[in-house]
Amino acid sequence: MALYQEKIYTIKDIYALPEGRRAELIDGQIYDMAPPAREHQKIVAQLIRIIGNYIEAKNGDCEVYPAPFAVILNEDEKNYVEPDISVVCDKDKLSDKGCNGSPDWIIEIVSPSTERMDYGIKLFKYRSAGVREYWIINPRTRVVNVFDFEHDQESAQYSFDDKIPVCIYSDLTIGISDLI
């Protein structure tokens, strides 16, 4: 009797999806993405503005990108994600298609359909891929989890009303309630 084998997908399969269908690829499995809510998009837009203005004011080398922005984790063919926000400081990782390797800072805004992925699978994947800092922003609970992988710190948890310190920028804090 033959054993059942699950199909392993690659980035080629992601690029072959019909126009308008968004999905991510993790360990060869495709995960469809639902359109984000208005509050989700407002948080993304405000964070992009704040982070971009900070980088520009400091004459920094990093660049900030909102989704959809391709991140090919581990530079392999089986892991393709589109974080809500990616901050990339090594321009050698950037190509016309996106980021080849791990961004320095990733921010995900939790939606009901992404909660399990953001807190579980992506947390593990981002840490093992070399992401320096990972934020999970949950509009429903008004909580932000910050993971400082670069300094092997335990995660810190903040409310939307807190001024949240950015790990990769020692002089930047962000209050989520100020954005919405």
Side-chain angles (χ1 to χ4, degrees):
M1 173 185 249
L3 293 176
Y4 170 76
Q5 272 193 323
E6 208 170 292
K7 178 167 174 47
I8 302 297
Y9 295 92
T10 68
I11 291 172
K12 288 179 185 173
D13 296 305
I14 290 290
Y15 287 124
L17 292 174
E19 185 72 30
R21 180 177 168 199
R22 289 188 53 216
E24 294 180 309
L25 179 70
I26 298 178
D27 294 329
Q29 296 304 303
I30 292 179
Y31 296 90
D32 286 315
M33 298 170 67
R38 184 194 61 79
E39 182 179 39
H40 177 283
Q41 291 301 84
K42 185 173 183 179
I43 293 170
V44 168
Q46 295 294 342
L47 284 170
I48 289 291
R49 182 183 54 78
I50 288 169
I51 296 165
N53 288 345
Y54 172 84
I55 292 169
E56 185 176 324
K58 296 290 184 173
N59 294 316
D61 291 330
C62 301
E63 295 183 12
V64 59
Y65 295 95
F69 177 72
V71 173
I72 301 167
L73 286 175
N74 304 322
E75 299 183 66
D76 67 21
E77 289 294 312
K78 294 187 293 180
N79 289 285
Y80 168 103
V81 293
E82 292 184 1
D84 291 313
I85 298 174
S86 300
V87 177
V88 181
C89 300
D90 180 354
K91 291 189 173 126
D92 289 337
K93 291 181 179 181
L94 297 173
S95 73
D96 287 341
K97 291 194 175 197
C99 180
N100 296 299
S102 59
D104 294 84
W105 181 16
I106 288 179
I107 301 173
E108 295 281 11
I109 291 85
V110 174
S111 301
S113 63
T114 67
E115 196 162 346
R116 184 179 69 83
M117 292 288 290
D118 294 337
Y119 287 105
I121 296 169
K122 285 185 176 180
L123 174 62
F124 173 76
K125 293 304 286 185
Y126 292 160
R127 181 180 199 135
S128 62
V131 172
R132 294 167 56 199
E133 181 170 359
Y134 177 40
W135 285 25
I136 304 172
I137 299 173
N138 191 326
R140 185 181 54 77
T141 62
R142 299 183 56 81
V143 169
V144 179
N145 292 85
V146 175
F147 298 90
D148 181 357
F149 300 141
E150 181 177 39
H151 300 105
D152 267 342
Q153 299 295 315
E154 292 297 316
S155 68
Q157 195 172 72
Y158 301 91
S159 82
F160 274 29
D161 296 324
D162 293 329
K163 296 296 182 197
I164 304 167
V166 176
C167 304
I168 68 168
Y169 298 122
S170 60
D171 60 344
L172 177 61
T173 60
I174 298 172
I176 304 299
S177 63
D178 297 338
L179 309 178
I180 50 177

